[in-house]
Amino acid sequence: MITSSLDANISEIRKRLGESADLVIRPLGTGPWGTFTLVYLTGLIDERSLQEEIMAPLMQGTDTDERAVAAGEPSLRFIAAGRLSIGHVRMHSDLGQAIRELLFGSCLILTEGAACALSAEIKGAEERPVSEPTTETVLRGPQHSFNENINTNVALIRRIIHSEQLRVQSMLLGSQTQTNVSIVYLEDIVDKQVLQSVTAKLEQLKIDALLEGEYLEELFIERGYTPFPLIFNTERPDSVAGALLEGRIAILVDGTPFVLVAPATFFSFFQSPEDYYQRADIATFLRLTRFAAYFVSMLLPGLYIAVTTFHPEMLPTPLLISLAAQREGIPFPAFIEAMLMELTFEVLREAGVRMPRAIGPAISIVGALVLGQASVQAGLVSAGMVIIVSFTAIASFSIPQISIAATARLFRFLFMGLAAVLGFFGLVAGVILLLVHLARLRSFGISYLAPLSPLQPGALRDVFIRASWKTLARDRKPRQQL
């Protein structure tokens, strides 16, 4: 609790913050309001706002103000009533709550004889401006993305959805980081059970630190393990706005430019905002291409291993002779050959990501060309295997969401092993088990394969295809039904 002794309050603040070098305790001279002491953390506040909106009003006043204070009006309450020109001004009787405001970029105003403190929010830390998306390329549509400031991100959503039904709920998560998390939804169309489930899960989380939204993605897994993402993430405000109009819920985490959207279905990861900014026939073709690319990136190396190892009779004779000629002199079986090439490509991909942006792509391209050509000339791998691995990599880049593309990379190795042991039977068994796993998944109570399982025929018009706007306009929700 805050006491009426100024020295005791300052001493307790110093004790709790450990005499930090960025802690500033600045006494002010005597003004019409009395004598005050300002407490703030340098780097978290705007120095100009401190001078103009706090210090200047405290040191200046009118005869009416002086008479009110002389008559016994509590100075802090009198100031909080409207003498400061900034918006967020709060009174605190609990020292812990006041220090929490201090850590979030507020300036504390203390005075002798007052068993309370006044906090004035004057955040001024440097932040990245709103810019173009870096991980989701925009072909057509709004050219802006979220940044690390949660207030800016909420404002970007409100610039698109000008509805009085838009609701924002905030809470603090992480016992050490005290990260601000906001839940955004449309009151009139949100599924109340899903909203209650999301809110309950967030309130029950016990975690020390929350530095990125991916922490929540893992913590939200109800039971078991799955490599498939159960929450959609994006850095595009138009994508979040579209999800809110479907009745979904956006979860914003302060400090990250990626917004989480729940619930998520398997098919939502293959949809792109550009699908709704161009003709329906073109969007349908591109969406079907993404689905095909996903399964190609997952199954193509396994198919090649199964055919060349167990089922060569399925290939045309000229192609079979060509592949046999290429593999002549190769010291490794097809499975080991594919594993070496896939692992090499994964290392090149990771190196390209970790290298400086100016030389990363060059390293990846040159490394792939040089290693592939040298491996073929050295007789370590066949030219056909280089083609298979290259096309598989290109197909994985066609998927708009990195999180779902990563699952294809993981299962690719599993299907390669099944094909090396059991051939086509192993591939078919693996696909069946994968479909069973997908059918069992739930995202906040919603089936992961909805609307295909359980079947909702009316919603299929925006899953594999994108129907025309005349057709979609007849639905209450303009996109895929959950």
Side-chain angles (χ1 to χ4, degrees):
M1 297 294 292
I2 297 177
T3 66
S4 58
S5 173
L6 177 61
D7 293 337
N9 295 331
I10 296 298
S11 177
E12 183 64 21
I13 292 175
R14 290 183 183 274
K15 179 181 178 181
R16 294 199 183 189
L17 296 181
E19 296 287 350
S20 297
D22 59 343
L23 177 63
V24 178
I25 299 177
R26 182 172 181 178
L28 293 183
T30 302
W33 312 100
T35 302
F36 296 96
T37 297
L38 304 183
V39 181
Y40 58 90
L41 293 171
T42 181
L44 293 184
I45 58 107
D46 184 1
E47 295 284 350
R48 182 174 180 180
S49 298
L50 177 68
Q51 295 285 342
E52 297 179 356
E53 300 181 2
I54 294 182
M55 295 182 66
L58 289 179
M59 298 305 296
Q60 299 173 0
T62 63
D63 294 338
T64 303
D65 300 331
E66 295 182 12
R67 287 194 298 269
V69 174
E73 182 78 24
S75 56
L76 287 181
R77 298 187 183 278
F78 194 54
I79 295 172
R83 292 304 183 266
L84 296 181
S85 58
I86 54 181
H88 295 82
V89 179
R90 302 180 181 90
M91 295 290 299
H92 303 283
S93 58
D94 181 68
L95 186 59
Q97 188 177 9
I99 293 178
R100 186 178 298 113
E101 293 288 335
L102 179 70
L103 295 173
F104 276 91
S106 293
C107 174
L108 298 183
I109 304 174
L110 302 170
T111 185
E112 182 68 34
C116 60
L118 192 66
S119 69
E121 184 176 319
I122 48 173
K123 293 181 180 179
E126 295 293 332
E127 65 180 56
R128 183 171 59 92
V130 176
S131 59
E132 295 184 13
T134 56
T135 60
E136 299 178 72
T137 305
V138 179
L139 302 178
R140 180 175 180 179
Q143 301 287 324
H144 56 260
S145 65
F146 294 115
N147 65 9
E148 287 74 16
N149 189 304
I150 192 171
N151 295 324
T152 302
N153 295 340
V154 172
L156 289 175
I157 297 175
R158 285 196 177 274
R159 289 181 183 179
I160 300 176
I161 303 180
H162 303 90
S163 172
E164 60 185 17
Q165 297 294 327
L166 189 66
R167 302 287 187 267
V168 181
Q169 297 181 5
S170 296
M171 62 182 67
L172 297 178
L173 295 180
S175 59
Q176 298 295 332
T177 59
Q178 291 289 293
T179 306
N180 189 12
V181 177
S182 293
I183 303 174
V184 183
Y185 58 92
L186 286 170
E187 177 69 25
D188 55 341
I189 63 175
V190 70
D191 188 326
K192 296 300 189 296
Q193 292 183 349
V194 175
L195 175 61
Q196 184 179 3
S197 177
V198 172
T199 305
K201 286 181 180 294
L202 288 175
E203 292 177 346
Q204 294 171 3
L205 286 180
K206 303 297 182 182
I207 188 172
D208 293 335
L210 180 60
L211 303 180
E212 219 279 335
E214 202 277 335
Y215 287 40
L216 299 179
E217 294 187 48
E218 290 192 25
L219 294 171
F220 279 161
I221 297 178
E222 297 180 358
R223 62 181 184 274
Y225 168 77
T226 178
F228 290 92
L230 299 182
I231 298 181
F232 185 84
N233 69 84
T234 179
E235 61 174 343
R236 296 184 57 172
D238 56 336
S239 181
V240 173
L244 294 178
L245 294 171
E246 294 176 358
R248 304 189 188 189
I249 301 168
I251 305 173
L252 287 70
V253 180
D254 195 18
T256 175
F258 291 91
V259 172
L260 306 179
V261 177
T265 63
F266 176 77
F267 305 104
S268 63
F269 292 93
F270 296 90
Q271 298 175 355
S272 174
E274 281 85 4
D275 293 348
Y276 306 93
Y277 302 152
Q278 54 190 345
R279 290 166 50 100
D281 50 357
I282 302 299
T284 298
F285 171 75
L286 294 177
R287 188 174 292 180
L288 292 175
T289 301
R290 296 186 201 117
F291 281 106
Y294 179 77
F295 290 103
V296 164
S297 66
M298 183 187 299
L299 298 173
L300 184 58
L303 285 172
Y304 180 82
I305 294 172
V307 169
T308 57
T309 304
F310 292 97
H311 314 283
E313 68 279 359
M314 299 185 63
L315 297 176
T317 302
L319 178 59
L320 180 60
I321 294 174
S322 176
L323 290 178
Q326 293 177 19
R327 290 195 50 78
E328 185 178 359
I330 302 299
F332 306 111
F335 173 68
I336 301 300
E337 185 183 3
M339 287 292 293
L340 290 175
M341 289 298 297
E342 288 291 346
L343 290 175
T344 301
F345 180 77
E346 292 296 332
V347 172
L348 287 173
R349 185 206 299 260
E350 188 67 14
V353 172
R354 303 304 171 191
M355 293 291 289
R357 188 171 299 180
I359 62 176
I363 293 295
S364 300
I365 295 173
V366 173
L369 291 175
V370 172
L371 287 177
Q373 184 67 23
S375 299
V376 172
Q377 292 180 352
L380 298 178
V381 296
S382 63
M385 182 60 72
V386 174
I387 295 174
I388 293 296
V389 172
S390 300
F391 185 70
T392 300
I394 294 173
S396 66
F397 293 139
S398 302
I399 306 169
Q401 278 290 319
I402 299 177
S403 56
I404 198 69
T407 62
R409 294 163 57 186
L410 292 177
F411 282 105
R412 183 187 309 156
F413 292 97
L414 175 62
F415 284 118
M416 287 166 55
L418 291 174
V421 176
L422 300 174
F424 273 146
F425 177 79
L427 287 178
V428 173
V431 170
I432 293 175
L433 291 176
L434 180 62
L435 291 177
V436 171
H437 175 70
L438 290 174
R440 296 180 60 186
L441 293 180
R442 295 289 184 273
S443 177
F444 296 95
I446 303 299
S447 173
Y448 199 58
L449 292 181
L452 194 61
S453 174
L455 183 62
Q456 303 176 27
L460 293 178
R461 66 189 65 180
D462 194 21
V463 177
F464 299 104
I465 65 172
R466 203 278 274 176
S468 65
W469 278 114
K470 292 182 179 179
T471 303
L472 295 178
R474 292 197 293 267
D475 294 338
R476 181 170 179 263
K477 299 176 184 178
R479 295 194 196 173
Q480 169 189 334
Q481 302 276 343
L482 291 177

